[in-house]
Amino acid sequence: MRHAYAIIATLVVTSSLVAGCAAGRAFGRGEDAARAGNWDTAVDHYRQAVQKSPDNPEYRIALERAMISASQEHLDAARIAEARGQLDEALREYRRASEFDPPNRQLASKVTELERTLRDQIEASRRPTMQNLRDQARQGAGPALLNFNTVLQPIRFQQTSVRDILGSIAKLAQINITFDSTFQDRVYSVEMSDVTLEQALNNIVSANQLFYKVMDPRTIMIIPDNAQKRAQYEEQLVQNFYINHGDPLEIAQMLNQVIRPVGGQQLAPVISANKTSSVITVRATTAMMSIIERMIEGSDKPRAEVIVDVQILEVNRTKARQYGLDLGNYAINAVFSPEADPRGTVGGTGTDAGTSTLSGRAFNANTITRGISANDFYLAVPAAVIRFLETDTETKVMAKPQLRGAEGAPLSLNLGEDIPVPSTTFTPVAAGGANSQPLTSFGYRSVGINVKMTAHVTYESDIRLELEVESSTLGSGIVIAGQNLPSFGSRKVTTVLRLREGEPSLLAGLLREDQRKLVAGFPGLLKLPVIKQLFSNNDTNATQTDIVMLLTPRIVRTHELTPQDIGPIRIGTQANLGLSGPPPLLGGPGGGAPALAGGNAAATGPQALAPRPGAPTAAPQPSPSPQAQPPAPPAPGAAPSPTAPTQVPSPAAGPPGGAAGTAATPGTGQIVVSAPPEFRVNSGPYTVPISITGASQISSVSLTITYNPAVLRIMAAQEGTFLRAGGVAAVFNQQPDPGGGRLDIAIVRPNDLTGVAGTGLLTALMFEAIAPGQANLAVTGSASGPNGAPVMLQFGPVPNITVR
């Protein structure tokens, strides 16, 4: 035996020496790698040393020091890669740095931020096939259009017939004009300058309850604006819209509620949805179709997707204690048996002395005649057993599922088992009889941990979880009407959580504890304080169940919103629906000249101001014998204001009727910013329009807007109508920097050969006042013509905005 002990001790000492030598070698390699600056290798060797010798504090300190150094090295490499724009490499380095420094929450948040940035870039680079097809369809469809960008010379007519005014405009623009047979002439007065052909036509026809239709690239027709003529002349389209993400029935219902012309002047669209093929078919006019297309594009957006990491820990603990004196059944059993030993019926033969239960047997009554003695009686006393038993059982159930789904879709998780639950109904045996035939069916109820959640991703990238957690158990059966039915214990929590991406939420406290205590002993002794513990049987049982749940949501795909989706869709007036862009703004350069429909216009006579297209106006009085009235002489040129753009007078004679004036200087333009001088916190939002006036041959504009981010917050930037003149789809890009108080805007007309001239709105900024102070608003930028040549821009003074 001593020899065996010696062998075991030798083996233990030998293994300890070998492990110590291996740990020392790993530590030495780690020191060499650390001196060489190879911190990743040093961490690997130090970890090996700690694993082989976990109680050595020197090894642990060296490992911590190497991990911090390795984390800093990867952090520096990540910052360099991020500065170079190598986001994939930067993400790998940030992840490595976070692995070496797990408590650093800034590194973990940086990893999450870069993952989201790369995910957004990938989603943006994947241009859907349907979008390509839509762009090709837009380029290849549509009738030939007039050159509406032609800038007209100033127009001044006093009490002149509408026919003569439109005829003069047609000569200036070198187009043909015809009139419907039901056209009625009337007298009208108008003054306009620096306006395009489109702006002049829209102002005149809308003020005289007319509309025009382009017949060919050189001809337009003037038609009275009523329901019959709209139905006769307005072109209608039938188009299929293929829905990718939304419900076609819901979108069609929304369109039928919103697009509803009133007044009978415009044709109501016909909208039909096919849920099987996910297609919405629309028949509508051209103007109405453009509105419906914009609304469908804004509604058919993919829903965000989330992943919820769920960690569930269920702990069951049972404690049992049994101690004290156990006297069996606490009963003395007496049996009269004169012929046989009653102990033979229990536990073995009749000589079993350990039996504590007696069972009397039948005997012959003649036996009693011979006499009764004490030998005929048998007594059984309870066996005395002293118990000292204590048990402690603990069970852990760990689950780490990962749930992924689209927002708004319910996610469920069931960990447990399904218990059948009977359900009995009574039916009549025969028709008209009593309900006496039982019919039992079975349903199932999930017992265990049941989790139901519905995730919603807000437009601020927060996650709202509608959560329901239930921990159910199978209880003891309940007898109802002679039928044993199961019972269930339930602990349920229903709540709504608002979490940020990657923010964990701990749900605990679903604790259940059942205690049972049983004391059995002598009747009198159970009342005594100390004696009852010695002369009684004590049985204590405690069962405890606790559930701890950790939820961590993450966003896989966010809402694919664009500035166009956030901004409003301007559709004109109720009587004249159509995409009209932002409304014209009054208060042009110099603080006084009105800018209407993109130009400086002033009307006299019955119509003081020519409204924008579709605006209701008073009907002018028809003239029985329309004749062109001699125009008033042109007003003498006033001295330009300090902010007015420089214009070169034109000596050319005006059109028939006396229109004459000045034209805008080619290759120039002035940027005008209009804003109220005072903003107020918790009010607004405030709109700051940025316009251009006196422009000529402009194809692209770049603007840089700076402001005080501690005082203002940019909410949206809406595209203006200036560079979209003539129906050209200009490209509007913006690059906001809310933290630095800067917004870069670029507006480009692709493949433009003529450029745009005149006056109009470039963009409208929406600001929110967040704190008192000076806004420090400033605007700079540049412009170019159709051939890329730079255009000289002038910038008027920007209002000094004070936030109170």
Side-chain angles (χ1 to χ4, degrees):
M1 184 63 69
R2 289 194 298 270
H3 181 66
Y5 287 158
I7 293 176
I8 294 173
T10 303
L11 291 176
V12 170
V13 172
T14 303
S15 61
S16 300
L17 292 176
V18 171
C21 294
R25 287 195 299 270
F27 180 75
R29 296 191 188 101
E31 289 289 307
D32 294 339
R35 283 191 292 268
N38 191 354
W39 293 109
D40 290 357
T41 305
V43 169
D44 293 337
H45 291 310
Y46 285 143
R47 281 177 177 169
Q48 295 176 8
V50 171
Q51 290 175 358
K52 296 181 182 300
S53 182
D55 297 331
N56 193 323
E58 184 180 1
Y59 295 171
R60 289 185 173 276
I61 294 173
L63 176 60
E64 293 292 336
R65 175 173 52 84
M67 290 180 66
I68 294 175
S69 300
S71 176
Q72 186 62 40
E73 184 180 28
H74 286 285
L75 179 59
D76 295 339
R79 289 172 176 170
I80 294 174
E82 185 179 10
R84 293 175 178 174
Q86 303 171 355
L87 298 185
D88 292 335
E89 181 66 23
L91 179 59
R92 285 193 292 269
E93 294 295 335
Y94 276 123
R95 283 175 176 170
R96 292 288 292 169
S98 180
E99 291 174 0
F100 287 123
D101 192 6
N104 194 332
R105 294 188 175 272
Q106 294 182 352
L107 288 177
S109 62
K110 189 63 178 179
V111 170
T112 304
E113 179 185 350
L114 268 184
E115 288 176 347
R116 182 187 301 178
T117 302
L118 288 174
R119 185 171 61 242
D120 294 342
Q121 290 182 356
I122 293 174
E123 292 294 335
S125 63
R126 295 175 180 172
R127 187 167 179 83
T129 305
M130 287 298 299
Q131 186 64 34
N132 292 332
L133 294 178
R134 290 193 189 101
D135 295 341
Q136 295 176 9
R138 291 192 186 110
Q139 294 175 2
L145 299 177
L146 290 172
N147 185 10
F148 283 106
N149 297 329
T150 303
V151 180
L152 303 178
Q153 295 181 4
I155 302 171
R156 295 183 180 89
F157 292 96
Q158 295 291 334
Q159 296 298 314
T160 307
S161 70
V162 175
R163 183 186 294 269
D164 292 341
I165 295 175
L166 294 175
S168 300
I169 293 176
K171 292 181 181 180
L172 288 176
Q174 296 181 358
I175 62 173
N176 303 318
I177 186 168
T178 62
F179 296 86
D180 181 75
S181 59
T182 60
F183 170 79
Q184 293 184 1
D185 203 357
R186 62 195 67 188
V187 176
Y188 181 63
S189 299
V190 63
E191 291 186 11
M192 289 185 291
S193 61
D194 296 334
V195 295
T196 62
L197 173 61
E198 181 182 19
Q199 296 164 354
L201 288 176
N202 287 332
N203 284 330
I204 295 174
V205 298
S206 61
N208 292 274
Q209 287 77 50
L210 304 170
F211 73 96
Y212 64 90
K213 179 183 178 182
V214 179
M215 307 303 294
D216 56 56
R218 304 294 300 174
T219 307
I220 64 172
M221 176 180 286
I222 305 300
I223 310 163
D225 193 356
N226 53 58
Q228 292 78 14
K229 293 302 178 180
R230 289 275 185 180
Q232 179 181 354
Y233 286 102
E234 278 197 330
E235 299 288 343
Q236 293 196 52
L237 305 176
V238 175
Q239 184 173 351
N240 290 327
F241 295 95
Y242 296 89
I243 308 303
N244 295 319
H245 310 285
D247 188 343
L249 295 179
E250 294 180 357
I251 297 177
Q253 182 180 3
M254 179 267 295
L255 292 175
N256 283 319
Q257 293 177 353
V258 176
I259 305 299
R260 187 179 302 169
V262 178
Q265 288 190 345
Q266 284 199 332
L267 298 177
V270 179
I271 302 173
S272 176
N274 188 334
K275 188 175 181 63
T276 303
S277 57
S278 191
V279 174
I280 297 178
T281 304
V282 181
R283 188 189 73 182
T285 62
T286 304
M288 195 76 70
M289 189 69 74
S290 60
I291 299 175
I292 294 175
E293 182 178 6
R294 281 284 304 273
M295 295 183 65
I296 291 178
E297 289 180 358
S299 301
D300 187 24
K301 293 293 182 181
R303 292 191 294 176
E305 293 188 20
V306 297
I307 284 182
V308 182
D309 294 328
V310 184
Q311 297 185 22
I312 301 176
L313 176 64
E314 182 182 10
V315 180
N316 298 323
R317 188 173 185 181
T318 303
K319 292 183 179 181
R321 296 180 64 189
Q322 295 179 355
Y323 64 93
L325 181 64
D326 188 3
L327 295 177
N329 292 328
Y330 292 90
I332 299 177
N333 192 5
V335 176
F336 176 70
S337 180
E339 293 182 352
D341 189 349
R343 294 177 298 172
T345 62
V346 180
T349 61
T351 60
D352 188 0
T355 300
S356 60
T357 303
L358 301 177
S359 178
R361 292 184 176 185
F363 57 88
N364 195 334
N366 292 330
T367 306
I368 304 176
T369 59
R370 293 195 296 268
I372 298 174
S373 64
N375 293 329
D376 299 331
F377 293 92
Y378 294 85
L379 298 177
V381 296
V385 179
I386 299 177
R387 299 179 182 270
F388 297 98
L389 176 63
E390 181 174 357
T391 62
D392 191 348
T393 304
E394 184 172 342
T395 304
K396 294 182 179 180
V397 179
M398 188 71 179
K400 298 180 65 176
Q402 191 178 68
L403 306 180
R404 174 173 176 172
E407 67 160 347
L411 305 176
S412 61
L413 172 66
N414 298 325
L415 300 177
E417 55 184 350
D418 292 340
I419 304 298
V421 179
S423 176
T424 303
T425 58
F426 294 89
T427 59
V429 178
N435 294 335
S436 59
Q437 181 181 4
L439 180 62
T440 302
S441 61
F442 289 89
Y444 288 88
R445 173 169 176 173
S446 299
V447 174
I449 300 176
N450 302 320
V451 181
K452 296 180 181 179
M453 66 181 72
T454 302
H456 298 274
V457 180
T458 66
Y459 294 102
E460 298 291 340
S461 296
D462 290 343
I463 303 173
R464 182 167 55 87
L465 280 180
E466 298 176 2
L467 182 64
E468 180 180 338
V469 180
E470 180 185 11
S471 175
S472 58
T473 57
L474 179 63
S476 58
I478 300 176
V479 179
I480 299 177
Q483 188 177 11
N484 190 8
L485 301 177
S487 64
F488 302 93
S490 178
R491 287 168 288 168
K492 183 183 294 185
V493 173
T494 302
T495 184
V496 178
L497 305 176
R498 181 174 178 268
L499 304 173
R500 295 192 179 275
E501 182 182 9
E503 178 183 358
S505 176
L506 181 65
L507 181 64
L510 294 176
L511 180 65
R512 177 176 177 177
E513 185 172 353
D514 299 329
Q515 292 186 356
R516 182 182 62 85
K517 187 174 184 180
L518 176 64
V519 180
F522 293 102
L525 299 179
L526 291 179
K527 304 290 184 178
L528 301 178
V530 179
I531 301 300
K532 69 177 182 180
Q533 303 294 334
L534 300 177
F535 293 94
S536 63
N537 182 21
N538 297 271
D539 189 356
T540 304
N541 193 329
T543 302
Q544 187 182 78
T545 303
D546 191 11
I547 296 177
V548 179
M549 180 179 299
L550 183 66
L551 302 175
T552 306
R554 292 182 173 85
I555 298 176
V556 180
R557 287 188 175 91
T558 58
H559 298 283
E560 298 179 4
L561 294 180
T562 62
Q564 186 178 10
D565 298 327
I566 299 176
I569 303 176
R570 303 193 180 274
I571 61 174
T573 63
Q574 183 64 60
N576 188 15
L577 295 178
L579 290 180
S580 60
L585 301 174
L586 295 175
L596 293 176
N600 298 331
T604 61
Q607 292 77 31
L609 292 176
R612 66 183 177 89
T617 58
Q621 299 296 326
S623 174
S625 57
Q627 292 180 354
Q629 302 295 330
S641 62
T643 59
T646 304
Q647 295 183 343
V648 179
S650 175
T662 59
T665 302
T668 60
Q670 184 183 33
I671 303 299
V672 179
V673 181
S674 303
E678 182 178 295
F679 291 175
R680 291 193 175 272
V681 181
N682 298 327
S683 185
Y686 294 93
T687 302
V688 178
I690 301 178
S691 307
I692 187 170
T693 181
S696 178
Q697 298 181 353
I698 292 183
S699 296
S700 65
V701 176
S702 299
L703 299 175
T704 298
I705 300 96
T706 58
Y707 56 93
N708 187 358
V711 173
L712 295 181
R713 181 173 64 186
I714 187 75
M715 299 179 62
Q718 301 176 7
E719 180 184 0
T721 58
F722 178 73
L723 290 178
R724 290 196 290 111
V728 177
V731 179
F732 183 83
N733 293 322
Q734 56 176 315
Q735 185 69 31
D737 183 10
R742 174 171 173 165
L743 175 64
D744 295 323
I745 296 177
I747 313 173
V748 180
R749 289 167 59 93
N751 303 322
D752 187 26
L753 301 177
T754 59
V756 186
T759 300
L761 180 68
L762 293 175
T763 182
L765 308 179
M766 295 181 63
F767 286 100
E768 180 183 8
I770 58 177
Q774 295 296 323
N776 299 334
L777 186 65
V779 178
T780 58
S782 60
S784 61
N787 56 356
V791 174
M792 183 178 64
L793 289 181
Q794 301 176 7
F795 291 84
V798 178
N800 187 14
I801 302 174
T802 303
V803 179
R804 302 186 185 279

